[in-house]
């Protein structure tokens, strides 16, 4: 019997805050998470980057996806800034990056994950086991909900 096909994704790499790859990731995040709403990053929005872990993957030297991890306490770990290049969406890369985040969160002692989901992405996170917690709110001008998952 043929083994089930496993989608091939570019390797996910961790880069240091402040490095040249970090600057490339910020540009990627700004392009796909801020500019579609006519916004750019404020210094306050970038402040949590200093104590976040930065993951990305690229193909042909172009970034195709990223996700950040921020430890909020010994056991609570926040997923931040998940984004996939439009040409790569719908091919499983967002789920792959989320699972990578969860693997790294567990390795750091995390037992619970938390994130701030744009409402249009809630079903994406629900498929990965996250649940909405509490009332919705506006962030960067668009509706969001907090979502959580026991790791
Ligand atoms: C949201 C995002 C990260 C999803 O990444 P992706 O690579 O397209 O998602 P995947 O291909 O891994 O999808 C996994 C599953 O979720 C589903 N899904 C993906 N995006 C979805 C959405 N917006 N709404 C509902 N379901 C969605 C897929 O159909 C797939 O379902 P399946 O497992 O039944 O086939 C990507 O669309 C993106 O970067 N969007 C712009 C930035 C953004 O909104 N980031 C999240 C901020 S909270």
């Amino acid at each position: 019997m043929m083994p089930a096909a496993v989608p091939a994704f570019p390797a996910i790499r961790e880069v240091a805050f402040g490095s040249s790859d970090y600057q490339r990731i910020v540009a990627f995040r700004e392009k796909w998470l801020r500019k579609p709403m006519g916004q750019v990053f404020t210094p306050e929005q970038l402040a949590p980057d200093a104590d976040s872990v930065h993951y990305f993957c690229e193909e042909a030297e172009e970034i195709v996806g990223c996700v950040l991890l921020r430890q909020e306490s010994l056991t609570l770990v926040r997923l931040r800034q998940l984004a996939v290049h439009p040409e790569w969406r719908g091919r499983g890369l967002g789920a792959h990056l989320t699972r990578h985040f969860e693997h790294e969160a567990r390795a750091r002692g995390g037992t619970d994950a938390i994130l701030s989901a744009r409402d249009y992405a809630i079903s994406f996170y629900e498929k990965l086991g996250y649940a909405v917690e509490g009332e919705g709110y506006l962030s960067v001008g668009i509706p969001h909900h907090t979502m959580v998952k026991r790791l």
Side-chain angles (χ1 to χ4, degrees), residues 33 82-84 88-95 116-118 120-121 123-125 127:
L33 290 168
L82 173 67
V84 171
W88 277 75
R89 289 179 196 164
R91 293 156 62 174
L93 182 57
S116 181
R118 297 174 180 202
Y120 64 72
S123 321
F124 164 78
Y125 290 115
K127 284 189 170 175

Side-chain angles (χ1 to χ4, degrees), residues 14-65:
E14 177 183 334
V15 297
F17 170 69
S19 64
S20 58
D21 278 332
Y22 164 75
Q23 300 297 349
R24 293 173 62 215
I25 298 169
V26 171
F28 176 82
R29 289 160 49 193
E30 191 157 71
K31 185 168 184 180
W32 301 117
L33 290 168
R34 288 297 179 279
K35 289 190 178 160
M37 290 106 67
Q39 299 178 26
V40 293
F41 279 123
T42 63
E44 293 74 24
Q45 289 168 350
L46 289 175
D49 286 9
D51 57 3
S52 295
V53 189
H54 303 260
Y55 300 104
F56 81 111
C57 49
E58 63 185 338
E59 194 182 67
E61 294 180 20
E62 187 173 2
I63 297 180
V64 296

Side-chain angles (χ1 to χ4, degrees), residues 98 102 113 122-132 147-151:
T98 304
E102 292 172 357
I122 284 177
S123 321
F124 164 78
Y125 290 115
E126 280 177 341
K127 284 189 170 175
L128 293 165
Y130 290 78
V132 166
M147 298 188 80
V148 295
K149 179 178 177 178
R150 185 96 182 139
L151 293 174

Side-chain angles (χ1 to χ4, degrees), residues 64-77:
V64 296
C66 70
V67 65
L68 274 56
L69 178 159
R70 186 162 187 258
Q71 193 121 18
E72 309 244 310
S73 74
L74 279 179
T75 55
L76 182 65
V77 188

Side-chain angles (χ1 to χ4, degrees), residues 93-104:
L93 182 57
H96 182 61
L97 284 161
T98 304
R99 288 194 196 97
H100 180 81
F101 156 83
E102 292 172 357
H103 176 81
E104 292 293 326

